[in-house]
Amino acid sequence: MSGTDGGGGGATGGASGDDNDCVYVKLVSAEGHEFFVERKIAIAGSVTIRTMLEGQFRESKENIIRFPDITGYILERVVKYLCYKAQHSHSTTRIPEFTIEPEIALELMIASKYLDC
């Protein structure tokens, strides 16, 4: 299972390898499922992801973040929420509800607490 947000391509957007050229970041779940999300959306939506991508960490160089404690279906919901948050952050109209299924609410809350999003 591989989720994409806004198109394909690799985790890096430019040939130079400069961090500023990176358009997407790859998020990898505990099972190895890969999700690509725009770097600016990931950084704006999660303090933890921002710290990993802007700090002196391996993730900032590779543009890949592995989450060994977050399952694929939870990480997929996190990615959907990051995109939802980016889409509606400057909305002047009523924001639609972000539906969370009760059976995943606890796991999603734990992941969101860890990711600070």
Side-chain angles (χ1 to χ4, degrees):
M1 178 176 158
S2 178
T4 59
D5 175 60
T12 57
S16 69
D18 187 353
D19 287 341
N20 295 329
D21 289 341
C22 297
V23 177
Y24 293 96
V25 61
K26 180 166 54 171
L27 309 179
V28 183
S29 73
E31 307 88 353
H33 299 182
E34 299 175 349
F35 300 90
F36 291 89
V37 64
E38 287 184 45
R39 183 181 173 93
K40 65 181 179 179
I41 289 175
I43 287 173
S46 167
V47 174
T48 303
I49 292 174
R50 180 183 327 127
T51 301
M52 291 174 152
L53 292 175
E54 292 181 345
Q56 296 298 317
F57 299 101
R58 178 179 69 188
E59 292 83 359
S60 67
K61 292 171 183 54
E62 295 178 354
N63 227 30
I64 300 170
I65 302 177
R66 292 168 181 80
F67 296 106
D69 297 326
I70 301 178
T71 60
Y73 68 94
I74 294 296
L75 190 55
E76 178 181 22
R77 293 296 293 179
V78 167
V79 169
K80 286 182 180 181
Y81 177 73
L82 293 175
C83 295
Y84 167 88
K85 186 176 177 180
Q87 180 181 2
H88 298 290
S89 64
H90 300 295
S91 180
T92 57
T93 61
R94 187 175 185 278
I95 298 173
E97 185 175 317
F98 185 80
T99 307
I100 299 172
E101 299 78 12
E103 55 273 8
I104 67 165
L106 180 60
E107 277 187 271
L108 194 57
M109 184 180 70
I110 292 168
S112 69
K113 178 73 173 166
Y114 168 71
L115 295 171
D116 200 0
C117 58

